[in-house]
Amino acid sequence: MIFFLLYFIAFLILINKWSFFDNEFISKRFLTFVFIIKIGIGFCLIWVYNDYYPNKTKISKEEFRDQADIFKYYDDSKIIYNALDERPIDFLKIIFSIDNNNEYFYNHYYINMNHWDTPFDTNFFNDSHTIIRLNALIRIISFNSYHVHMLIFCLLSFIGLFALFKSIVDFFPNKENLLKWLIFFTPSILFWNSGVLKEPILFFSIGILLLSIMNLINGKSVFSNLLALTITAFILFLIKFYIFLILVPLILPFIFNQKTNVKRPIISYLLSIGIFIFIGLSLKYIDSSMNLLNIIDQKQEAFIEEASNNNAGSYFEIINIDPDFLSLCIAIPNGIINCFTKPFPWTIKSIIELPQAVENCLVIIFMIIGIFQLIKFKNHLDISSYNLLIFCSLFAIANYAIIGICTPVYGALVRYKITGLLFLLFSIILLIDIKSITKKLKLKF
């Protein structure tokens, strides 16, 4: 625990001294408070997976740990880390993926890992290899302390969320406080970004990537921002390829609209999406393994099979898709609805799902209010804000569609959709005209 305390103090000093965290809308005291809360939630996440779920499912802690996402990447990384002393060349080859996919490495390392090979091993969705490698590298400085790993993942997530705030805060005049509280304290986002999972790396990458893009649009430090953009895009490519696939056709029209200030930004988005959909569906003619419809179909089957084999308590039925475009289009609306409504207060199966159900209800209520205000007060958004609204809305819809059609378990659904949820919240804040609400309240009282 001594290493955890030393790193914790070092990270608090970093937050208070690093100029990256200087911002007129967020004080260092607030950031320190946020980080401490985040670490507390990290310990809660450990308790949930180490004590609550095993007791609830009547499974031993050791058996449950083998399948628990917050432990399995860390546990598997020990096999790679142990090679550092005995066979350092093997360690480097695995870390940098150099000539490591052969029988020798399988017999000496991968066979001893529980999650290096997955039922559906493809970079088009998740790559567990990257997280296992990252944990193996962190072990060099963590002295094999799991809590230090949790601390480092929390810091990466924290940096990413703050970078997101910095990148878009100028689009939210007079809403800066609301924006910062939603980014840092939306319950599901806070919870799932505070553990040794893929999500902290995902939010770190998205935050730095978008901040780099905004800096480039504004002409700031071209070389350093291009470097940061390239690195984070590569990380996204490795760790969540479907997020990468969603972002590329949306970022390009976003940048174009910001630079040209066009009157109808939606047109460039529709054109870009259409082109990328055509390219994506045509890839199978170049390489049969790159058939995106087949990949989505197999991913759904793998999720359903895994949920069935593990007797997932929060399992629910989803529309079965076939590897054709029409079947996918039919399933997408249901997938989006699942993300909005699973779980609801009257469908929860355990008390731990209640906060998620309440969160879903609040999101829907405020989304309805926002849409109503957009219809009633059409001119309260300028062209630049309208461009961000389209970007965030399309990103959230695409994320919800992919997650919703593939994920038949409440717990996994809530976790996987948090990226889309955050961008949905950005859209809602943009839609809500706080000035009009304030005026009405003043008139009533």
Side-chain angles (χ1 to χ4, degrees), residues 240-275:
K240 290 279 186 180
F241 189 68
Y242 74 91
I243 296 291
F244 179 85
L245 285 181
I246 294 172
L247 276 175
V248 172
L250 297 181
I251 284 176
L252 295 177
F254 174 80
I255 295 172
F256 173 79
N257 293 337
Q258 285 298 112
K259 298 294 287 185
T260 59
N261 208 28
V262 295
K263 292 183 178 180
R264 294 186 177 180
I266 187 65
I267 295 175
S268 56
Y269 283 101
L270 295 177
L271 182 62
S272 176
I273 291 170
I275 292 172

Side-chain angles (χ1 to χ4, degrees), residues 12 39 83 100 123 144 171 173 191 303 385 415:
L12 288 180
I39 299 306
N100 66 312
N123 282 340
N144 291 317
F171 294 91
F191 187 75
F303 261 121
S385 297
R415 173 184 155 197

Side-chain angles (χ1 to χ4, degrees), residues 38-52:
K38 196 170 185 62
I39 299 306
I41 297 298
F43 279 105
C44 290
L45 187 61
I46 293 173
W47 173 81
V48 167
Y49 274 90
N50 199 47
D51 293 293
Y52 175 80

Side-chain angles (χ1 to χ4, degrees), residues 132-293:
I132 295 172
R133 288 176 173 127
L134 178 60
N135 275 285
L137 285 172
I138 294 175
R139 279 180 181 269
I140 298 173
I141 61 172
S142 72
F143 303 97
N144 291 317
S145 167
Y146 178 83
H147 293 98
V148 171
H149 284 247
M150 182 266 288
L151 192 61
I152 292 173
F153 274 73
C154 282
L155 178 67
L156 292 172
S157 165
F158 181 75
I159 291 172
L161 290 171
F162 182 75
L164 262 177
F165 177 85
K166 288 178 67 173
S167 66
I168 64 171
V169 66
D170 291 339
F171 294 91
F172 297 86
N174 303 315
K175 301 176 183 177
E176 296 89 356
N177 283 330
L178 177 59
L179 180 66
K180 75 181 182 184
W181 281 94
L182 284 176
I183 286 177
F184 289 114
F185 287 108
T186 297
S188 59
I189 296 172
L190 174 62
F191 187 75
W192 293 112
N193 260 306
S194 301
V196 184
L197 296 162
K198 297 176 185 178
E199 281 68 25
I201 312 303
L202 173 62
F203 276 81
F204 169 81
S205 302
I206 292 176
I208 300 298
L209 184 144
L210 292 182
L211 180 60
S212 301
I213 288 173
M214 292 307 302
N215 286 340
L216 288 170
I217 290 174
N218 296 322
K220 298 179 181 178
S221 304
V222 175
F223 176 78
S224 60
N225 282 292
L226 272 176
L227 180 62
L229 173 61
T230 303
I231 292 172
T232 50
F234 181 67
I235 294 172
L236 272 180
F237 181 89
L238 291 176
I239 201 168
K240 290 279 186 180
F241 189 68
Y242 74 91
I243 296 291
F244 179 85
L245 285 181
I246 294 172
L247 276 175
V248 172
L250 297 181
I251 284 176
L252 295 177
F254 174 80
I255 295 172
F256 173 79
N257 293 337
Q258 285 298 112
K259 298 294 287 185
T260 59
N261 208 28
V262 295
K263 292 183 178 180
R264 294 186 177 180
I266 187 65
I267 295 175
S268 56
Y269 283 101
L270 295 177
L271 182 62
S272 176
I273 291 170
I275 292 172
F276 275 91
I277 288 177
F278 175 78
I279 294 172
L281 295 178
S282 301
L283 289 175
K284 64 181 180 180
Y285 299 109
I286 301 172
D287 185 344
S288 59
S289 67
M290 298 173 69
N291 187 326
L292 294 185
L293 296 175

